[in-house]
């Protein structure tokens, strides 16, 4: 079973978000484990606007191709260049060097991160509760 860090928030689609500014986004270890060996990524470009809940990228593994969903709305501030040459970093360190991209979240409109699942709720989702 994968460890689910308690300091992060999670989407139902298995992306994680930290609460930095800009927010960092990655795939959970649960998603990385189920994907298998990641071999290719198609991520949004820096400067592009993304909408919460919509597809903003793709992850290809030896098993399948899966969509990446934007967990919050905003503008992509940076993309993890390490993944260009080493997409398998997602499998090795999904909560560290395997992060996907950063999003500048607008200040108005409430707390979009607070609307995501905390670690306990994400664990319940993973467990099928």
């Amino acid at each position: 079973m994968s460890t689910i860090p308690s300091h992060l928030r999670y989407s139902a689609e298995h992306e994680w978000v930290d609460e930095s500014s800009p927010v960092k986004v990655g795939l959970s270890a649960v998603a990385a484990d189920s994907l298998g060996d990641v071999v290719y990524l198609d991520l949004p470009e820096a400067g592009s606007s993304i909408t919460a809940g919509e597809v903003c990228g793709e992850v290809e593994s030896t098993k399948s191709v899966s969509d990446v969903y934007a967990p919050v709305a905003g503008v992509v501030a940076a993309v993890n260049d390490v993944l260009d040459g080493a997409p398998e970093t997602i499998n090795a360190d999904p909560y560290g060097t395997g992060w996907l991209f950063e999003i500048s979240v607008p200040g108005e409109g409430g707390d979009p991160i607070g609307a995501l699942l905390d670690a306990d709720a994400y664990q319940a989702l993973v467990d099928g509760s």
Side-chain angles (χ1 to χ4, degrees):
M1 168 166 281
S2 300
T3 301
I4 297 174
S6 61
H7 68 284
L8 300 173
R9 302 292 265 187
Y10 301 87
S11 72
E13 292 79 24
H14 307 287
E15 288 82 16
W16 59 261
V17 174
D18 70 8
E19 297 192 51
S20 60
S21 182
V23 298
K24 197 169 275 185
V25 177
L27 291 179
S28 72
V30 172
D33 290 346
S34 99
L35 281 168
D37 296 331
V38 175
V39 295
Y40 176 77
L41 294 161
D42 180 21
L43 298 175
E45 293 183 18
S48 60
S49 293
I50 57 176
T51 303
E54 292 191 3
V55 173
C56 64
E58 209 171 65
V59 177
E60 184 177 328
S61 72
T62 54
K63 291 182 181 179
S64 66
V65 176
S66 297
D67 290 330
V68 174
Y69 292 87
V72 294
V75 175
V76 177
V79 178
N80 187 352
D81 293 334
V82 169
L83 301 177
D84 282 344
E88 67 278 2
T89 305
I90 292 171
N91 300 106
D93 191 13
Y95 300 113
T97 55
W99 61 275
L100 301 177
F101 51 88
E102 295 176 333
I103 304 172
S104 294
V105 179
E108 70 282 347
D111 179 15
I113 295 170
L116 297 170
L117 303 170
D118 65 15
D120 291 336
Y122 182 66
Q123 183 68 60
L125 173 78
V126 169
D127 292 342
S129 309

